[in-house]
Amino acid sequence: MSDLLLVIGVGVITYASRVALLAKHRPVPKGGIGRFLDVFPLALFVAIAATGLLAPEGDPAVTPGLAAAAGGIIGAALFRRSLVGILSLGAAVFHLTRLVIS
């Protein structure tokens, strides 16, 4: 099997598993699970972006990663419960900051 077919196959399986869970509308859970789902998109974005926030010396650095985290936090305030909205705003701020800095 070629590397391209392997990458395409893994991509199709990954995408299909995500779509299968999102395709059917389900009511929002109540209680602890509902509260967890309210903050999960923000927590997930922060976990993804955290690796780019610190400079090698361990001091905070003004980087596109830091701007993306700020964009994600603002996105969480604007688009509650929308992972797509949070990640889109974070990515947009990241790319705009990268254009301005370089």
Side-chain angles (χ1 to χ4, degrees), residues 3-14:
D3 292 339
L4 179 61
L5 287 176
L6 180 63
V7 170
I8 290 172
V10 169
V12 167
I13 291 169
T14 301

Side-chain angles (χ1 to χ4, degrees), residues 19-89:
V19 169
L21 293 173
L22 297 175
K24 184 177 178 183
H25 180 70
R26 295 181 176 101
V28 177
K30 303 279 189 244
I33 293 177
R35 287 192 305 272
F36 170 77
L37 291 175
D38 278 340
V39 297
F40 181 71
L42 174 61
L44 179 63
F45 182 81
V46 170
I48 292 170
T51 58
L53 295 181
L54 296 178
E57 301 85 39
D59 296 326
V62 178
T63 63
L66 183 61
I73 291 169
I74 293 168
L78 295 175
F79 306 110
R80 285 183 62 88
R81 302 188 58 93
S82 172
L83 182 60
V84 173
I86 293 170
L87 291 178
S88 297
L89 187 59

